Structures are given as structure tokens and as C-alpha cells.
């Protein structure tokens, strides 16, 4: 209770983590597999049908980790929001090299793996 007014203060709004939550409500992280990519890219507002968490590291999980750390679901959402056709990648590994956040600052990533085993469970994988 607020001693000055004798009423309860409103509850604080939930904080969003940099790695797991998307920057806008209702727009969770996604994973597109195989030929579903072209269908999802054609639609401007794709809604996921289900979500799961990553259990084991892979190259795909590494890239999802990088997009989610920058505040996007995945590469498709990044391309839609930033209106770019290509994402900068390291030629040696194929991992994402540089991403522009929603506030127009940049995240720069190393050539090597950045998603430690203890961070893998935080990566969300969405199915469409």
C-alpha cells in the first residue's frame, strides 16, 4: 500500500530479457525449416503455431541465439523489420556476423560459437 494515498501501487510491468523475449508483444521467435521459408517470407505478419525450446546446440540454434539476442525472432523477422535482403555472415562458418537492433545500434558477433551450453535452453524455436 502506498502510505501517502492509502491505495495499492500498480504492479510493475514485466521486464523482457535480451535473449529470450521478443521486443514487441505477440511476436515470438520462430524457426522455418525447408521449403516453408518462402511461404513465410511472402506473408508480412506470420504467426507461429507452436513453440519449443532448444535442447542441444547446433549451427541453426547458434544463429537463432544471435537473432534473439538482438531482439528478433529469426532471420525472417529481421529482414522484414529492417528491410534488408541479406544478413551479414561469416564466410568461414556461416554464422551471423552483424545485426542492427531495433534502436539502430549494432551487435557484432565472433566467427566462433557464442551460445554456450548453459544458454542453449533459452533459445526459442517456433513452428509454423
Amino acid at each position: 500500500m502506498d502510505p501517502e494515498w492509502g491505495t495499492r501501487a500498480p504492479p510493475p510491468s514485466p521486464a523482457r530479457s535480451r535473449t529470450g523475449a521478443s521486443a514487441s508483444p505477440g511476436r515470438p521467435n520462430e524457426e522455418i525449416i525447408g521449403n516453408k521459408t518462402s511461404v513465410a517470407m511472402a506473408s508480412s505478419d506470420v504467426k507461429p503455431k507452436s513453440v519449443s525450446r532448444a535442447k542441444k546446440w547446433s549451427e541453426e540454434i547458434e544463429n537463432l541465439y544471435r537473432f534473439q539476442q538482438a531482439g528478433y525472432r529469426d532471420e525472417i523477422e529481421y529482414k522484414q523489420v529492417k528491410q534488408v535482403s541479406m544478413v551479414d555472415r561469416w564466410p568461414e562458418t556461416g554464422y551471423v556476423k552483424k545485426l542492427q537492433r531495433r534502436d539502430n545500434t549494432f551487435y557484432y558477433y565472433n566467427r566462433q560459437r557464442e551460445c554456450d551450453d548453459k544458454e542453449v535452453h533459452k533459445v526459442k524455436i517456433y513452428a509454423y
Side-chain angles (χ1 to χ4, degrees), residues 20-40:
S22 63
S24 62
R27 298 203 61 150
N29 307 316
E30 67 182 90
E31 175 187 43
I32 305 298
I33 300 173
N35 60 2
K36 293 182 182 178
T37 301
S38 59
V39 174

Side-chain angles (χ1 to χ4, degrees), residues 69-86:
Q69 193 176 33
Y72 301 96
R73 289 183 301 222
D74 66 358
E75 185 173 353
I76 293 172
E77 184 186 31
Y78 179 77
K79 287 179 176 181
Q80 288 173 350
V81 171
K82 291 299 175 185
Q83 299 293 311
V84 296
S85 59
M86 296 283 292

